[in-house]
Amino acid sequence: MIARLFNFHGGIKPDSHKNESSSLPIANAPLPPRLTIPLRQSVRSAARCLVAPGQRVLKGERIGAGEGPLGTDVHASTSGTVVGLAPCAMAHASGLDTLAVVIEPDGKDEWIERRAFDHRAVPRDAALRYLSTCGIVGMGGAGFPTHIKLGNGRGIETLIINGAECEPWITCDDRLMREGAAQVLSGAAILHELIGARRTLVGIEDNKREAIAAMREAAAHLTAPVEIVAIPTRYPAGGEKQLIRVLTGIEIAHGKLGTEFGVQCFNVGTAHAVHRAIHYGEPLVSRVVTLTGNVSHPGNYEVALGTPVETLLALAGPKPDTDRYLMGGPMMGITIADLSVPIGKTSNCIIAASPALFPPPPPELPCIRCGACARACPADLQPFELYWFSRAKNVGKAQEYHLFDCIECGSCAFVCPSHIPLVDYFRFSKSEIWARERELKASDQARERFEFRNYRQEREKEEKAAKLAAKAAETRAKLSGSAAATDTAAADDPKKALIAAALARAKQQAATAESGTAAASHANGPGAPDSTNRREQPHPHDSDATS
Amino acid sequence: MIHSPYIRKPASVQSVMLTVLLALLPGITAYVMQVAAVVVVNLLIATVTALAAEALILALRRRQIAPALSDLSAVVTAWLVVLCFPPILPWWVTVLGVLIAIVAVKHLYGGLGQNPFNPAMVAYCAMIVAFPSLMSQWPPAGQLDFQTQLDLVLGGARQLDAITGATALDAMRTGLRTSGASVESVLQQDGAFGAVGGRGWEWLALGYVAGGLFMLARRIITWHMPVAFIATLAVVSGIFWLAEPARFAPPLFHLASGGAMLAAFFIVTDPVSGATTPRGKLIFAAGIAVIAYLIRVFGAFPEGIAFAVLLMNLCVPLIDMKTQPAVFGHRGSRP
Ligand code: SF4
Ligand code: SF4
């Protein structure tokens, strides 16, 4: 069966620069003197630390327990001693700090006891839980936990394995498919079973001929319905939504999940990691990283997670005119602010940048509405309109023009003859909208707090009035009930009695007045007993009424 | 700090404008050979005027002068002004036209990329209203020697009626007004006509088509506007012609005469003042063709493209708003 290919609008063809590293086999990167393994593996969840400084750990040993449904476990990526817990910078655009376990390798690289896991012998839930304890997350993009993406085992027709690797320079998936095609497909088969798919498609850009050949060769030995599909080389064909579109014709809108359309997508690295976990009992402790760019020895390395970028760079030998380093590709990657950041599960490539390789863009000129950006946009947006609205800070209009469908692929900025950093404008507008929403939420909360305070003050007033009224009634009863006593008392001390009577009168007056207004404001009829009742009425804000 | 993407296509406004200028060369060559060599002088005058005006106004606006001048957009505007003006205009009319285009239309609206109207077309309309007789003096193709042309442009010695002729569109209009005339008879009696359009001007039309194809190949323009413009002009003129062949000129005449091809590839396609969405481009260009045809045939001017362009420029915001393409994932497509 030959799959029919579909087209996505736009896209660009930047120089691929894959030759620099694509012919170099994956080599093992040496262990650094210290591994820094962040407990927060994604923006969404952090793991609870399970180790203490001084403790010896083995390779693959759990050092962090995933928390919450999105959590996955964190493991030591070699054997050694935990020497500390320290905050470290995350390789993330946010530049957030996170808590990390620092391990000093002992050089033995001694594994925990590994045992294959028979995912067919256990209920599906248990298999998914197992993957989460192995720390398996998506290795292509955002590092979303694989066990979540596997869904409930129903409704996914098509499993897609993403081997497109469309960003320039990056070759780690290419090498993985060339050298480990059988393992990748083995992992794909496991995912296929767990997700309950009917067919599996592997999409690979047609500029990776060796990878396609190797995968086809390996697929020929399989009985499972796996199809290796060569797709046209056009950035961003490896974007999840674009790949799904090319292979199946389905368009997944912003905010929708593939599962709603019967497709799910996993990166080849993820499939490989699933294979290791199930067949060898190995948690995810290393990944392939491409080192390339302005370096003397580009290459692809199997790198222990937690290896600092700087020690890794020594392998490639950056040239003297290197001015910064990128993590990821040149289209969507980030500048590494701090070279001590560790390699994480989604770090696929480190590129040494020089002014010659990545010259700073020429000065920004006004938009001439040439429409080149719209022709390049894979999301069918009109980037120059979004740019215009973003510049005018008209974020509402930008949102109306589907700002949030922008995947920040950079194609528009790539082609713009006026060199406008369009994506930066979009990021700005998005953050602006998020900030506004946060503010709105905050002001909502403030308003609720204010309303609740009003309510509480009113209630207290009523309570006070009720109390006073009750007391006044009591006094009245006392006064009339023991007139004789009062008389004697009055005789004893007429002055005192007079004062007491006046006080009681005043209190009574005040009480009726207050309870009257309170009752009127509630349109609930007059009377003190009523207001005591009202106290017991449930109020929507009572549950969080701590102030 | 620089953010992603870290790589850029080697494209620039300058290269876009340079491509447009190159694409104009076949048409200009035909112009020089067939109609009036003096157009080269006009181009020179206009270029200098445009650059000087641009520099001056940038200085007044306290903007950087060098980058804006080197983007060549002013030169493109200047050339388009010249190519839609009659070639034997006194030099100061050309200067005035360019000044209107650059200063009033472009910079008073905020400079490059901000003008809602096509600068060359505003210049044309302003001048034809201000100097109707000067703006309707066209040299008969190949009849004036270069010295005479130059005298007309620089000197201003004008024994007009002796040396100027009517353009094909003009001749057709006035010819058809005389009673008993038919398209056939008009075509036979006047020397203004060539094989299909205006004599000599047919070659210009071909030259502009060649340049247009070059721009299409270089992806400077998309097919939408030229195709919509040409097809609509052909269809509308075809309908009238089929209904009454004696009273209405055939489609090919309309396409090959006047500024139709210059407009189809260089005027209508001006990105700044035109519609931008694919469907919007079709509507925009088709609208210009319809209005231009109606003005040519029923209006007060022999050539209607300039007015048509300005009228459609007015509609651009609405057209763009109503023709936004469906965004990825919002088409509800499920195979
Ligand atoms: S590519 Fe640049 S100049 Fe062209 S329309 Fe888009 S933003 Fe404007
Ligand atoms: S960055 Fe956004 S607007 Fe630009 S091409 Fe990509 S999806 Fe379209």
Side-chain angles (χ1 to χ4, degrees):
Chain A
M1 181 185 89
I2 303 275
R4 190 181 138 219
L5 288 186
F6 297 82
N7 198 7
F8 68 87
H9 173 267
I12 52 169
K13 289 186 178 172
D15 287 344
S16 83
H17 284 286
K18 304 254 189 190
N19 291 337
E20 279 85 336
S21 57
S22 63
S23 61
L24 300 156
I26 301 168
N28 280 319
L31 286 168
R34 279 188 174 198
L35 288 164
T36 312
I37 303 174
L39 288 166
R40 180 179 288 280
Q41 293 279 345
S42 78
V43 210
R44 294 175 207 90
S45 85
R48 177 166 43 87
C49 185
L50 298 175
V51 291
Q55 185 178 339
R56 177 156 196 272
V57 289
L58 295 176
K59 181 173 184 175
E61 188 170 327
R62 267 181 359 133
I63 56 174
E67 299 212 298
L70 289 177
T72 51
D73 289 354
V74 180
H75 307 81
S77 38
T78 188
S79 59
T81 315
V82 175
V83 293
L85 294 168
C88 84
M90 262 213 312
H92 185 264
S94 66
L96 283 175
D97 268 14
T98 182
L99 196 65
V101 175
V102 183
I103 295 175
E104 211 167 74
D106 58 13
K108 295 183 197 139
D109 210 24
E110 198 180 322
W111 271 102
I112 48 162
E113 191 194 336
R114 284 168 288 172
R115 223 180 286 129
F117 182 89
D118 187 355
H119 62 281
R120 292 185 187 134
V122 297
R124 199 170 162 283
D125 283 0
L128 299 196
R129 218 173 313 123
Y130 174 73
L131 290 180
S132 119
T133 61
C134 286
I136 312 280
V137 299
M139 292 166 78
F144 202 74
T146 300
H147 66 278
I148 301 289
K149 280 184 83 173
L150 284 168
N152 55 12
R154 263 175 284 109
I156 305 290
E157 175 121 328
T158 309
L159 168 68
I160 289 177
I161 303 295
N162 187 347
E165 203 168 48
C166 61
E167 275 253 18
W169 296 97
I170 310 179
T171 57
C172 59
D173 289 352
D174 184 8
R175 287 313 309 185
L176 191 62
M177 288 187 286
R178 289 197 210 185
E179 298 175 38
Q183 289 94 308
V184 170
L185 288 180
S186 152
I190 297 163
L191 289 168
H192 182 111
E193 277 174 41
L194 287 176
I195 210 163
R198 198 174 55 74
R199 59 170 183 169
T200 296
L201 303 174
V202 185
I204 308 172
E205 272 194 344
D206 56 14
N207 62 353
K208 293 180 248 312
R209 261 185 249 127
E210 288 88 345
I212 294 171
M215 293 287 281
R216 291 220 163 115
E217 161 75 21
H221 300 298
L222 290 179
T223 46
V226 173
E227 198 182 337
I228 314 297
V229 190
I231 59 170
T233 299
R234 182 158 51 110
Y235 177 86
E240 192 165 293
K241 285 174 185 169
Q242 278 65 39
L243 185 63
I244 290 175
R245 163 80 193 164
V246 169
L247 292 176
T248 67
I250 296 169
E251 284 193 13
I252 296 174
H254 175 80
K256 291 269 169 23
L257 297 173
T259 44
E260 296 173 43
F261 294 81
V263 278
Q264 192 58 290
C265 200
F266 294 94
N267 174 262
V268 286
T270 314
H272 187 260
V274 166
H275 160 78
R276 303 293 310 175
I278 297 285
H279 291 310
Y280 296 95
E282 288 179 9
L284 181 49
V285 292
S286 67
R287 69 155 296 142
V288 186
V289 181
T290 301
L291 293 183
T292 184
N294 193 42
V295 294
S296 331
H297 312 288
N300 298 289
Y301 292 92
E302 182 78 36
V303 183
L305 299 178
T307 303
V309 166
E310 52 198 348
T311 60
L312 200 56
L313 280 170
L315 294 173
K319 293 180 189 164
D321 60 332
T322 300
D323 60 347
R324 69 214 132 106
Y325 296 90
L326 313 181
M327 187 174 267
M331 292 303 297
M332 293 183 79
I334 56 170
T335 309
I336 305 176
D338 175 355
L339 286 183
S340 68
V341 294
I343 293 295
K345 291 176 184 177
T346 58
S347 319
N348 50 7
C349 184
I350 309 289
I351 306 178
S354 69
L357 276 183
F358 303 109
E364 191 178 333
L365 289 173
C367 167
I368 54 170
R369 301 188 8 124
C370 66
C373 51
R375 292 202 290 281
C377 177
D380 297 87
L381 300 169
Q382 302 275 306
F384 57 92
E385 302 266 22
L386 293 176
Y387 156 75
W388 182 249
F389 295 136
S390 298
R391 256 185 85 111
K393 301 238 171 101
N394 191 346
V395 293
K397 210 67 180 150
Q399 219 168 339
E400 223 176 274
Y401 276 68
H402 298 284
L403 173 68
F404 282 99
D405 282 283
C406 168
I407 54 173
E408 299 184 18
C409 69
S411 302
C412 51
F414 178 80
V415 297
C416 177
S418 290
H419 316 293
I420 302 171
L422 292 161
V423 192
D424 284 353
Y425 281 99
F426 306 156
R427 289 188 190 116
F428 171 78
S429 273
K430 285 182 185 175
S431 65
E432 199 70 346
I433 292 168
W434 286 324
R436 272 183 205 193
E437 252 156 42
R438 266 199 303 276
E439 247 166 54
L440 201 69
K441 230 189 224 156
S443 76
D444 268 354
Q445 279 167 355
R447 186 172 44 76
E448 275 176 23
R449 265 202 303 276
F450 174 75
E451 280 171 1
F452 177 70
R453 206 193 59 183
N454 281 354
Y455 160 78
R456 194 193 54 204
Q457 282 175 343
E458 197 138 290
R459 193 183 63 187
E460 281 168 358
K461 225 153 82 185
E462 287 170 24
E463 283 168 11
K464 211 158 106 196
K467 253 189 225 143
L468 283 175
K471 226 188 192 154
E474 208 178 284
T475 324
R476 242 193 333 256
K478 238 192 217 156
L479 280 176
S480 58
S482 53
T486 319
D487 277 349
T488 47
D492 282 342
D493 193 350
K495 245 187 198 162
K496 233 187 211 167
L498 266 178
I499 290 171
L503 260 178
R505 250 193 332 271
K507 266 183 193 167
Q508 201 178 346
Q509 259 167 16
T512 32
E514 273 204 1
S515 68
T517 39
S521 75
H522 280 240
N524 215 356
D530 227 87
S531 52
T532 38
N533 275 348
R534 212 172 299 126
R535 249 182 96 188
E536 266 116 49
Q537 277 172 11
H539 188 277
H541 296 295
D542 267 358
S543 52
D544 51 30
T546 43
S547 52
Chain B
M1 192 163 92
I2 302 164
H3 301 113
S4 67
Y6 300 96
I7 46 175
R8 302 292 170 125
K9 190 175 164 183
S12 63
V13 174
Q14 188 186 40
S15 68
V16 171
M17 296 298 167
L18 198 61
T19 313
V20 177
L21 293 178
L22 283 178
L24 281 169
L25 290 182
I28 291 174
T29 310
Y31 206 138
V32 169
M33 297 193 346
Q34 292 291 330
V35 180
V38 78
V39 75
V40 178
V41 178
N42 293 345
L43 288 172
L44 210 70
I45 294 171
T47 306
V48 172
T49 311
L51 292 176
E54 179 106 348
L56 190 73
I57 205 143
L58 285 167
L60 285 176
R61 295 177 65 199
R62 297 182 201 289
R63 299 286 169 93
Q64 280 198 309
I65 295 174
L69 279 194
S70 62
D71 71 21
L72 296 179
S73 62
V75 180
V76 170
T77 304
W79 285 25
L80 290 176
V81 167
V82 166
L83 293 178
C84 62
F85 278 21
I88 49 171
L89 278 177
W91 60 271
W92 52 268
V93 183
T94 306
V95 169
L96 214 54
V98 171
L99 286 179
I100 289 174
I102 298 284
V103 178
V105 188
K106 183 176 173 186
H107 279 287
L108 293 190
Y109 278 99
L112 178 66
Q114 311 278 319
N115 46 295
F117 295 103
N118 185 313
M121 293 300 101
V122 175
Y124 179 90
C125 292
M127 289 293 105
I128 203 164
V129 171
F131 307 104
S133 64
L134 279 179
M135 285 293 286
S136 44
Q137 288 159 8
W138 294 80
Q143 303 282 300
L144 293 183
D145 62 51
F146 184 68
Q147 191 54 52
T148 320
Q149 296 170 15
L150 205 58
D151 286 348
L152 284 169
V153 168
L154 299 180
R158 312 193 80 81
Q159 290 116 22
L160 297 166
D161 299 337
I163 41 174
T164 60
T167 63
L169 285 171
D170 218 2
M172 181 63 75
R173 272 168 69 82
T174 39
L176 285 174
R177 296 251 158 101
T178 52
S179 61
S182 71
V183 168
E184 201 87 337
S185 66
V186 173
L187 281 175
Q188 271 158 15
Q189 59 171 254
D190 201 299
F193 303 105
V196 288
R199 190 154 53 83
W201 290 90
E202 299 156 331
W203 291 101
L204 269 76
L206 272 185
Y208 292 137
V209 172
L213 294 179
F214 172 67
M215 289 200 296
L216 273 171
R218 299 292 302 272
R219 312 250 291 151
I220 299 293
I221 56 172
T222 60
W223 59 268
H224 304 79
M225 297 220 203
V227 168
F229 179 82
I230 292 170
T232 309
L233 190 54
V235 167
V236 176
S237 58
I239 290 172
F240 279 93
W241 174 63
L242 284 176
E244 225 176 319
R247 236 161 66 71
F248 298 101
L252 211 52
F253 171 80
H254 275 287
L255 290 177
S257 308
M261 288 302 120
L262 179 66
F265 292 98
F266 295 91
I267 303 285
V268 175
T269 52
D270 168 40
V272 173
S273 58
T276 52
T277 63
R279 274 188 303 145
K281 286 178 182 174
L282 296 176
I283 296 171
F284 176 75
I288 293 174
V290 172
I291 301 173
Y293 179 81
L294 295 178
I295 296 179
R296 273 182 175 188
V297 176
F298 303 107
F301 295 91
E303 177 63 289
I305 291 176
F307 293 100
V309 168
L310 297 189
L311 283 174
M312 288 310 287
N313 282 160
L314 281 173
C315 306
V316 162
L318 182 71
I319 295 175
D320 274 352
M321 198 174 78
K322 294 291 178 196
T323 57
Q324 285 296 314
V327 168
F328 185 95
H330 292 268
R331 290 183 275 252
S333 96
R334 280 207 65 171

